[in-house]
Amino acid sequence: VTGTLGDAAAGLEILRQKKTTSSFGALIRRHQAPKARWQEGQRLAQEKIPSAMIDLSDGLSSDLSHLASQSGVGAEIELSRIPISPALKRYAKAIGSDPATYALDGGEDYELLFSVPPKKADQMEILIQNKAISARCIGRLLKKETGLLMKDRQGMTHPMKAGGHDHLNRRRK
């Protein structure tokens, strides 16, 4: 995954609470002026590294579900490897929340989630080391039957549910 996750969702929450004078301006800016990672996406495509790629507009848990479903695979992510910005960590601590919730279910970060086949892992690592792309491995793909899993901070594995935005969710009143 590129960048940090959850900032835009926290920024939206701050705006909805009308706390625009807050000390969390970086989070508000991430919501108001997201930056699509098109250059990184182009570079990854040119290098033919990813076997699948999606932007994180609906939240990591939801978009990972889309990527896995369309690719016919399962996946396991490690909560401790999800990149969280210092600003989001401070905000979550200030309100007594877990920053991972914003990263997993928030959305509108427009970072890239992509899979790298093992035979291209070294090529990807070189791009990261040379600062050609800023990305972090947060998990691995598994057999479809495994479904979506999340390894918590204590190393325990649990089923993961897609909790981000669902465009087709039509709740009846």
Side-chain angles (χ1 to χ4, degrees):
V1 68
T2 61
T4 59
L5 307 182
D7 291 352
L12 176 60
E13 182 175 279
I14 293 164
L15 287 171
R16 283 184 173 160
Q17 294 172 357
K18 301 186 189 317
K19 293 182 179 179
T20 56
T21 59
S22 105
S23 61
F24 300 105
L27 301 175
I28 293 170
R29 285 189 296 280
R30 282 288 307 267
H31 171 71
Q32 291 179 325
K35 294 181 181 172
R37 297 291 187 160
W38 63 271
Q39 290 176 318
E40 290 87 344
Q42 280 185 327
R43 180 70 186 260
L44 288 166
Q46 287 170 349
E47 300 284 340
K48 298 181 180 172
I49 292 176
S51 54
M53 184 165 39
I54 188 171
D55 76 340
L56 294 174
S57 58
D58 296 336
L60 175 60
S61 63
S62 184
D63 288 323
L64 176 61
S65 177
H66 299 317
L67 185 138
S69 173
Q70 293 297 310
S71 300
V73 298
E76 177 186 64
I77 62 168
E78 294 183 39
L79 197 58
S80 64
R81 298 184 88 177
I82 297 172
I84 306 287
S85 72
L88 180 54
K89 288 177 184 176
R90 283 192 315 276
Y91 175 70
K93 184 176 182 179
I95 65 166
S97 183
D98 184 353
T101 303
Y102 296 94
L104 289 168
D105 300 334
E108 296 187 359
D109 287 309
Y110 298 102
E111 297 295 345
L112 298 174
L113 172 67
F114 55 97
S115 58
V116 177
K119 66 184 177 188
K120 295 186 179 183
D122 289 343
Q123 185 182 0
M124 184 68 217
E125 191 58 39
I126 290 169
L127 287 177
I128 292 170
Q129 287 178 357
N130 292 337
K131 300 191 186 312
I133 195 161
S134 175
R136 175 185 284 188
C137 178
I138 61 169
R140 61 192 177 115
L141 297 179
L142 305 167
K143 292 181 181 178
K144 182 179 182 176
E145 302 78 44
T146 308
L148 297 180
L149 303 173
M150 181 176 55
K151 190 178 284 188
D152 66 23
R153 290 180 183 100
Q154 289 73 40
M156 300 293 294
T157 302
H158 309 276
M160 183 177 71
K161 294 181 182 175
H165 182 70
D166 180 359
H167 297 278
L168 300 178
N169 185 5
R170 298 183 181 129
R171 295 183 186 164
R172 294 188 179 156
K173 295 182 180 182

PDB file of all heavy atoms in Angstrom, residues 54 59-73 75 113 148 160-163:
ATOM      1  N   ILE A  54      -5.823  -1.317  -6.851  1.00  0.00           N
ATOM      2  CA  ILE A  54      -7.049  -0.548  -6.667  1.00  0.00           C
ATOM      3  C   ILE A  54      -6.719   0.665  -5.808  1.00  0.00           C
ATOM      4  O   ILE A  54      -5.811   0.610  -4.976  1.00  0.00           O
ATOM      5  CB  ILE A  54      -8.141  -1.426  -5.990  1.00  0.00           C
ATOM      6  CG1 ILE A  54      -9.495  -0.734  -5.955  1.00  0.00           C
ATOM      7  CG2 ILE A  54      -7.706  -1.862  -4.593  1.00  0.00           C
ATOM      8  CD1 ILE A  54     -10.642  -1.642  -5.506  1.00  0.00           C
ATOM      9  N   GLY A  59     -12.095   2.590   1.771  1.00  0.00           N
ATOM     10  CA  GLY A  59     -11.525   2.035   2.995  1.00  0.00           C
ATOM     11  C   GLY A  59     -10.771   0.753   2.687  1.00  0.00           C
ATOM     12  O   GLY A  59     -11.145  -0.001   1.787  1.00  0.00           O
ATOM     13  N   LEU A  60      -9.715   0.507   3.414  1.00  0.00           N
ATOM     14  CA  LEU A  60      -8.866  -0.658   3.175  1.00  0.00           C
ATOM     15  C   LEU A  60      -9.657  -1.959   3.231  1.00  0.00           C
ATOM     16  O   LEU A  60      -9.534  -2.810   2.350  1.00  0.00           O
ATOM     17  CB  LEU A  60      -7.711  -0.695   4.181  1.00  0.00           C
ATOM     18  CG  LEU A  60      -6.796  -1.913   4.134  1.00  0.00           C
ATOM     19  CD1 LEU A  60      -6.129  -2.050   2.771  1.00  0.00           C
ATOM     20  CD2 LEU A  60      -5.758  -1.839   5.244  1.00  0.00           C
ATOM     21  N   SER A  61     -10.492  -2.136   4.250  1.00  0.00           N
ATOM     22  CA  SER A  61     -11.205  -3.409   4.381  1.00  0.00           C
ATOM     23  C   SER A  61     -12.148  -3.642   3.197  1.00  0.00           C
ATOM     24  O   SER A  61     -12.225  -4.752   2.672  1.00  0.00           O
ATOM     25  CB  SER A  61     -11.972  -3.469   5.699  1.00  0.00           C
ATOM     26  OG  SER A  61     -12.969  -2.473   5.756  1.00  0.00           O
ATOM     27  N   SER A  62     -12.832  -2.612   2.759  1.00  0.00           N
ATOM     28  CA  SER A  62     -13.767  -2.739   1.646  1.00  0.00           C
ATOM     29  C   SER A  62     -13.039  -2.931   0.319  1.00  0.00           C
ATOM     30  O   SER A  62     -13.391  -3.809  -0.478  1.00  0.00           O
ATOM     31  CB  SER A  62     -14.656  -1.496   1.588  1.00  0.00           C
ATOM     32  OG  SER A  62     -15.633  -1.627   0.590  1.00  0.00           O
ATOM     33  N   ASP A  63     -12.026  -2.114   0.076  1.00  0.00           N
ATOM     34  CA  ASP A  63     -11.317  -2.209  -1.201  1.00  0.00           C
ATOM     35  C   ASP A  63     -10.475  -3.477  -1.290  1.00  0.00           C
ATOM     36  O   ASP A  63     -10.335  -4.047  -2.372  1.00  0.00           O
ATOM     37  CB  ASP A  63     -10.479  -0.953  -1.451  1.00  0.00           C
ATOM     38  CG  ASP A  63     -11.361   0.245  -1.791  1.00  0.00           C
ATOM     39  OD1 ASP A  63     -12.380   0.055  -2.483  1.00  0.00           O
ATOM     40  OD2 ASP A  63     -11.033   1.363  -1.369  1.00  0.00           O
ATOM     41  N   LEU A  64      -9.944  -3.961  -0.175  1.00  0.00           N
ATOM     42  CA  LEU A  64      -9.258  -5.252  -0.184  1.00  0.00           C
ATOM     43  C   LEU A  64     -10.246  -6.356  -0.543  1.00  0.00           C
ATOM     44  O   LEU A  64      -9.925  -7.264  -1.304  1.00  0.00           O
ATOM     45  CB  LEU A  64      -8.613  -5.545   1.169  1.00  0.00           C
ATOM     46  CG  LEU A  64      -7.955  -6.920   1.308  1.00  0.00           C
ATOM     47  CD1 LEU A  64      -6.820  -7.096   0.301  1.00  0.00           C
ATOM     48  CD2 LEU A  64      -7.457  -7.125   2.728  1.00  0.00           C
ATOM     49  N   SER A  65     -11.454  -6.253  -0.032  1.00  0.00           N
ATOM     50  CA  SER A  65     -12.492  -7.219  -0.366  1.00  0.00           C
ATOM     51  C   SER A  65     -12.780  -7.206  -1.865  1.00  0.00           C
ATOM     52  O   SER A  65     -12.908  -8.260  -2.498  1.00  0.00           O
ATOM     53  CB  SER A  65     -13.773  -6.913   0.423  1.00  0.00           C
ATOM     54  OG  SER A  65     -14.801  -7.798   0.061  1.00  0.00           O
ATOM     55  N   HIS A  66     -12.857  -6.008  -2.462  1.00  0.00           N
ATOM     56  CA  HIS A  66     -13.075  -5.898  -3.910  1.00  0.00           C
ATOM     57  C   HIS A  66     -11.920  -6.524  -4.687  1.00  0.00           C
ATOM     58  O   HIS A  66     -12.135  -7.305  -5.619  1.00  0.00           O
ATOM     59  CB  HIS A  66     -13.213  -4.434  -4.342  1.00  0.00           C
ATOM     60  CG  HIS A  66     -14.341  -3.695  -3.726  1.00  0.00           C
ATOM     61  ND1 HIS A  66     -15.612  -4.201  -3.572  1.00  0.00           N
ATOM     62  CD2 HIS A  66     -14.400  -2.437  -3.211  1.00  0.00           C
ATOM     63  CE1 HIS A  66     -16.394  -3.308  -3.002  1.00  0.00           C
ATOM     64  NE2 HIS A  66     -15.675  -2.231  -2.759  1.00  0.00           N
ATOM     65  N   LEU A  67     -10.694  -6.175  -4.303  1.00  0.00           N
ATOM     66  CA  LEU A  67      -9.520  -6.690  -5.001  1.00  0.00           C
ATOM     67  C   LEU A  67      -9.457  -8.215  -4.908  1.00  0.00           C
ATOM     68  O   LEU A  67      -9.244  -8.900  -5.905  1.00  0.00           O
ATOM     69  CB  LEU A  67      -8.246  -6.067  -4.422  1.00  0.00           C
ATOM     70  CG  LEU A  67      -6.955  -6.435  -5.129  1.00  0.00           C
ATOM     71  CD1 LEU A  67      -6.054  -5.222  -5.274  1.00  0.00           C
ATOM     72  CD2 LEU A  67      -6.204  -7.529  -4.390  1.00  0.00           C
ATOM     73  N   ALA A  68      -9.669  -8.743  -3.718  1.00  0.00           N
ATOM     74  CA  ALA A  68      -9.601 -10.194  -3.521  1.00  0.00           C
ATOM     75  C   ALA A  68     -10.708 -10.904  -4.283  1.00  0.00           C
ATOM     76  O   ALA A  68     -10.461 -11.930  -4.946  1.00  0.00           O
ATOM     77  CB  ALA A  68      -9.695 -10.526  -2.030  1.00  0.00           C
ATOM     78  N   SER A  69     -11.915 -10.371  -4.231  1.00  0.00           N
ATOM     79  CA  SER A  69     -13.042 -10.982  -4.930  1.00  0.00           C
ATOM     80  C   SER A  69     -12.798 -11.015  -6.437  1.00  0.00           C
ATOM     81  O   SER A  69     -12.995 -12.051  -7.081  1.00  0.00           O
ATOM     82  CB  SER A  69     -14.321 -10.194  -4.614  1.00  0.00           C
ATOM     83  OG  SER A  69     -15.390 -10.657  -5.386  1.00  0.00           O
ATOM     84  N   GLN A  70     -12.378  -9.905  -6.997  1.00  0.00           N
ATOM     85  CA  GLN A  70     -12.137  -9.836  -8.440  1.00  0.00           C
ATOM     86  C   GLN A  70     -10.944 -10.672  -8.877  1.00  0.00           C
ATOM     87  O   GLN A  70     -10.886 -11.124 -10.017  1.00  0.00           O
ATOM     88  CB  GLN A  70     -11.945  -8.375  -8.879  1.00  0.00           C
ATOM     89  CG  GLN A  70     -13.194  -7.535  -8.749  1.00  0.00           C
ATOM     90  CD  GLN A  70     -14.311  -8.047  -9.651  1.00  0.00           C
ATOM     91  OE1 GLN A  70     -14.131  -8.270 -10.840  1.00  0.00           O
ATOM     92  NE2 GLN A  70     -15.483  -8.260  -9.066  1.00  0.00           N
ATOM     93  N   SER A  71     -10.016 -10.909  -7.972  1.00  0.00           N
ATOM     94  CA  SER A  71      -8.829 -11.700  -8.292  1.00  0.00           C
ATOM     95  C   SER A  71      -8.993 -13.179  -7.955  1.00  0.00           C
ATOM     96  O   SER A  71      -8.119 -13.984  -8.268  1.00  0.00           O
ATOM     97  CB  SER A  71      -7.607 -11.145  -7.542  1.00  0.00           C
ATOM     98  OG  SER A  71      -7.363  -9.806  -7.914  1.00  0.00           O
ATOM     99  N   GLY A  72     -10.077 -13.520  -7.279  1.00  0.00           N
ATOM    100  CA  GLY A  72     -10.313 -14.911  -6.902  1.00  0.00           C
ATOM    101  C   GLY A  72      -9.349 -15.424  -5.847  1.00  0.00           C
ATOM    102  O   GLY A  72      -8.906 -16.569  -5.903  1.00  0.00           O
ATOM    103  N   VAL A  73      -9.030 -14.549  -4.870  1.00  0.00           N
ATOM    104  CA  VAL A  73      -8.085 -14.930  -3.813  1.00  0.00           C
ATOM    105  C   VAL A  73      -8.632 -14.516  -2.457  1.00  0.00           C
ATOM    106  O   VAL A  73      -9.598 -13.762  -2.356  1.00  0.00           O
ATOM    107  CB  VAL A  73      -6.695 -14.278  -4.023  1.00  0.00           C
ATOM    108  CG1 VAL A  73      -6.059 -14.737  -5.323  1.00  0.00           C
ATOM    109  CG2 VAL A  73      -6.783 -12.757  -3.979  1.00  0.00           C
ATOM    110  N   ALA A  75      -7.022 -13.085   1.500  1.00  0.00           N
ATOM    111  CA  ALA A  75      -5.911 -12.223   1.916  1.00  0.00           C
ATOM    112  C   ALA A  75      -5.828 -12.153   3.428  1.00  0.00           C
ATOM    113  O   ALA A  75      -6.823 -12.332   4.127  1.00  0.00           O
ATOM    114  CB  ALA A  75      -6.080 -10.818   1.342  1.00  0.00           C
ATOM    115  N   LEU A 113      -3.621   0.220  -3.231  1.00  0.00           N
ATOM    116  CA  LEU A 113      -3.467  -1.118  -2.679  1.00  0.00           C
ATOM    117  C   LEU A 113      -3.166  -2.017  -3.862  1.00  0.00           C
ATOM    118  O   LEU A 113      -3.903  -1.990  -4.848  1.00  0.00           O
ATOM    119  CB  LEU A 113      -4.762  -1.561  -1.986  1.00  0.00           C
ATOM    120  CG  LEU A 113      -4.822  -3.016  -1.532  1.00  0.00           C
ATOM    121  CD1 LEU A 113      -3.828  -3.269  -0.405  1.00  0.00           C
ATOM    122  CD2 LEU A 113      -6.239  -3.368  -1.100  1.00  0.00           C
ATOM    123  N   LEU A 148     -10.969 -13.321   3.947  1.00  0.00           N
ATOM    124  CA  LEU A 148     -10.171 -12.176   4.382  1.00  0.00           C
ATOM    125  C   LEU A 148      -9.864 -12.315   5.862  1.00  0.00           C
ATOM    126  O   LEU A 148     -10.764 -12.523   6.678  1.00  0.00           O
ATOM    127  CB  LEU A 148     -10.923 -10.868   4.139  1.00  0.00           C
ATOM    128  CG  LEU A 148     -11.252 -10.525   2.694  1.00  0.00           C
ATOM    129  CD1 LEU A 148     -11.993  -9.203   2.632  1.00  0.00           C
ATOM    130  CD2 LEU A 148     -10.013 -10.490   1.832  1.00  0.00           C
ATOM    131  N   MET A 160     -11.830 -10.907   8.776  1.00  0.00           N
ATOM    132  CA  MET A 160     -11.991  -9.468   8.594  1.00  0.00           C
ATOM    133  C   MET A 160     -13.221  -9.231   7.735  1.00  0.00           C
ATOM    134  O   MET A 160     -13.393  -9.871   6.698  1.00  0.00           O
ATOM    135  CB  MET A 160     -10.764  -8.864   7.923  1.00  0.00           C
ATOM    136  CG  MET A 160     -10.845  -7.359   7.783  1.00  0.00           C
ATOM    137  SD  MET A 160      -9.361  -6.623   7.080  1.00  0.00           S
ATOM    138  CE  MET A 160      -9.476  -7.186   5.403  1.00  0.00           C
ATOM    139  N   LYS A 161     -14.042  -8.302   8.173  1.00  0.00           N
ATOM    140  CA  LYS A 161     -15.231  -7.946   7.410  1.00  0.00           C
ATOM    141  C   LYS A 161     -14.996  -6.613   6.729  1.00  0.00           C
ATOM    142  O   LYS A 161     -14.350  -5.729   7.287  1.00  0.00           O
ATOM    143  CB  LYS A 161     -16.449  -7.853   8.327  1.00  0.00           C
ATOM    144  CG  LYS A 161     -16.835  -9.174   8.919  1.00  0.00           C
ATOM    145  CD  LYS A 161     -18.054  -9.043   9.787  1.00  0.00           C
ATOM    146  CE  LYS A 161     -18.371 -10.401  10.400  1.00  0.00           C
ATOM    147  NZ  LYS A 161     -19.452 -10.346  11.342  1.00  0.00           N
ATOM    148  N   ALA A 162     -15.537  -6.492   5.523  1.00  0.00           N
ATOM    149  CA  ALA A 162     -15.461  -5.222   4.808  1.00  0.00           C
ATOM    150  C   ALA A 162     -16.345  -4.222   5.536  1.00  0.00           C
ATOM    151  O   ALA A 162     -17.551  -4.414   5.637  1.00  0.00           O
ATOM    152  CB  ALA A 162     -15.897  -5.399   3.366  1.00  0.00           C
ATOM    153  N   GLY A 163     -15.743  -3.173   6.065  1.00  0.00           N
ATOM    154  CA  GLY A 163     -16.498  -2.194   6.837  1.00  0.00           C
ATOM    155  C   GLY A 163     -16.471  -0.806   6.254  1.00  0.00           C
ATOM    156  O   GLY A 163     -16.996   0.124   6.840  1.00  0.00           O
TER     157      GLY A 163
END
